[in-house]
């Protein structure tokens, strides 16, 4: 009996692990596919110019929050300017099928064709981030933590180009990102990691990598990190 149970447990475990492995493979295949689409367009000046034009024309529904040049209008809205285009596109796909939740974004992401989303991602990614104000004392404390826990993925200057990235797929650019948005986001990942997110939370997103790095951060760590991240990229 005991042996039977063990085998059963092992089979169940093996199937679960296989499932997780397949999911991870599917996700990185999705990222690579999106990246290829974007790179193919960027490699051709004519296609890029067309994408920039059509992308800009589609910003009518975005600009009251993210700004027409991707520098967001409120501290809790993320900048899209300078963001890695493949990351923007991937996040819109996540909102579209509700892997990431925020109502306005869930609705908008389903309104557009993939072509529109590719154009929007290229357009916003090419814009320049405007420097934001930050508290230098907090940023100095955040720097120490950043170099220890974040740099390997997000890169020394927060551009998403850390050494731990998978081939060409960049992580999120966080340099110059809005401080309030960064600290809210770190708290969402921490909340998910520790099963503390309440049902009234307006935002939901998961990432094994970000849950792992945020699960033991204190509120003070988060404030300091957000100040440092905001100070980068100038
Ligand atoms: C009413 C305000 C509002 C409008 C309009 C809006 N957004 Fe957003 N957007 C947000 C907020 C707030 C978030 C962050 C929510 C979260 O944490 O998931 C966000 C997140 C995003 C993200 C993820 C950014 C990141 O750094 O992870 C992308 C990409 C994005 N929006 C693109 C767009 C595009 C493209 C449009 C226009 C088609 C648009 N948004 C319109 C408020 C808005
Ligand atoms: C092992 C790699 C890894 C490490 C280490 C890491 N990150 Fe991330 N980070 C990611 C990935 C991948 C994402 C995108 C998650 C998603 O798709 O939602 C991300 C997303 C983010 C975002 C959201 C960006 C946006 O525009 O919404 C912020 C902010 C962030 N990370 C900050 C940090 C900070 C601060 C640290 C250090 C405490 C850190 N990260 C460490 C991989 C990492």
């Amino acid at each position: 009996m005991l042996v039977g149970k063990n085998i059963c447990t092992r089979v169940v475990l093996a199937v679960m692990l296989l499932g997780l492995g397949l999911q991870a493979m599917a996700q990185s295949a999705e990222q690579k596919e999106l990246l290829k689409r974007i790179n193919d367009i960027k490699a051709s000046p004519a296609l890029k110019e067309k994408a920039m034009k059509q992308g800009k024309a589609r910003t009518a529904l975005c600009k009251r929050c993210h700004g027409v040049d991707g520098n967001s209008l409120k501290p809790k809205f993320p900048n899209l300017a300078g963001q890695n285009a493949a990351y923007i596109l991937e996040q819109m796909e996540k909102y579209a099928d509700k892997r990431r939740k925020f109502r306005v974004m869930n609705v908008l992401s389903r309104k557009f064709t993939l072509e529109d989303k590719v154009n929007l991602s290229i357009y916003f990614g090419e814009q320049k981030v405007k420097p934001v104000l930050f508290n230098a004392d907090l940023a100095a404390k955040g720097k120490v933590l950043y170099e220890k826990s974040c740099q390997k993925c997000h890169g020394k200057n927060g551009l998403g180009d850390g050494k731990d990235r998978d081939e060409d797929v960049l992580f999120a650019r966080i340099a110059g990102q809005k401080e309030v948005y960064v600290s809210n986001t770190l708290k969402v990942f921490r909340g998910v990691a520790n099963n503390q997110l309440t049902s009234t939370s307006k935002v939901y997103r998961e990432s094994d990598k970000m849950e792992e790095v945020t699960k033991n951060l204190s509120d003070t760590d988060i404030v300091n990190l957000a100040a440092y991240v905001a100070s980068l990229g100038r």
Side-chain angles (χ1 to χ4, degrees):
M1 235 5 236
L2 206 60
V3 174
K5 248 190 197 162
N6 272 340
I7 289 175
C8 241
T9 320
R10 277 185 205 161
V11 170
V12 169
L13 266 177
V15 170
M16 277 168 60
L17 284 176
L18 182 70
L20 282 176
L22 288 176
Q23 208 187 349
M25 269 165 65
Q27 272 173 18
S28 80
E30 179 196 349
Q31 284 176 324
K32 283 189 185 134
E33 172 62 32
L34 298 180
L35 185 69
K36 188 177 173 329
R37 249 175 193 271
I38 285 170
N39 285 345
D40 286 350
I41 295 176
K42 279 193 177 173
S44 145
L47 288 180
K48 185 175 165 190
E49 197 191 321
K50 191 167 152 233
M52 292 287 287
K53 229 170 146 186
Q54 294 186 345
K56 188 170 186 189
R58 288 280 180 260
T59 58
L61 289 172
C62 324
K63 62 185 181 196
R64 76 186 161 100
C65 297
H66 295 289
V68 71
D69 65 353
N71 285 280
S72 81
L73 304 183
K74 281 197 184 152
K76 61 180 181 181
F77 300 158
N79 288 336
L80 302 178
Q83 184 55 273
N84 303 316
Y87 171 79
I88 299 184
L89 184 54
E90 185 195 10
Q91 296 304 314
M92 291 197 83
E93 295 302 272
K94 287 189 178 181
Y95 283 123
D97 61 21
K98 295 209 178 149
R99 275 174 285 161
R100 180 170 175 181
K101 289 185 194 143
F102 179 69
R103 186 179 274 279
V104 177
M105 291 310 309
N106 292 135
V107 173
L108 284 175
S109 297
R110 284 196 298 275
K111 263 189 190 300
F112 293 107
T113 62
L114 184 58
E115 195 190 344
D116 285 333
K117 289 186 246 188
V118 168
N119 294 338
L120 277 164
S121 303
I122 293 177
Y123 169 77
F124 278 124
E126 292 292 316
Q127 307 303 310
K128 290 257 175 304
V129 184
K130 289 187 191 139
V132 286
L133 293 173
F134 65 95
N135 178 315
D137 292 339
L138 301 184
K141 290 185 191 138
K143 183 175 198 280
V144 180
L145 200 50
Y146 182 87
E147 285 171 354
K148 190 174 110 213
S149 317
C150 322
Q151 181 162 313
K152 63 180 178 208
C153 290
H154 293 285
K156 189 172 175 6
N157 300 313
L159 302 179
D161 56 351
K163 66 173 170 43
D164 276 12
R165 72 184 189 278
D166 170 23
E167 292 170 39
D168 305 331
V169 180
L170 291 170
F171 291 109
R173 175 199 165 118
I174 51 178
Q177 187 52 279
K178 294 271 148 77
E179 218 169 328
V180 172
Y181 170 74
V182 172
S183 59
N184 287 346
T185 298
L186 294 175
K187 285 180 186 166
V188 169
F189 285 126
R190 184 182 65 181
V192 172
N194 295 315
N195 234 339
Q196 284 164 346
L197 217 61
T198 63
S199 56
T200 53
S201 169
K202 293 200 168 87
V203 173
Y204 180 85
R205 63 190 295 191
E206 16 173 79
S207 153
D208 292 347
K209 295 184 170 79
M210 284 306 298
E211 286 165 47
E212 183 58 34
V213 286
T214 52
K215 71 178 182 208
N216 295 319
L217 293 179
S218 67
D219 286 355
T220 312
D221 293 338
I222 288 182
V223 167
N224 295 341
L225 280 166
Y228 183 62
V229 165
S231 79
L232 288 171
R234 53 192 68 224

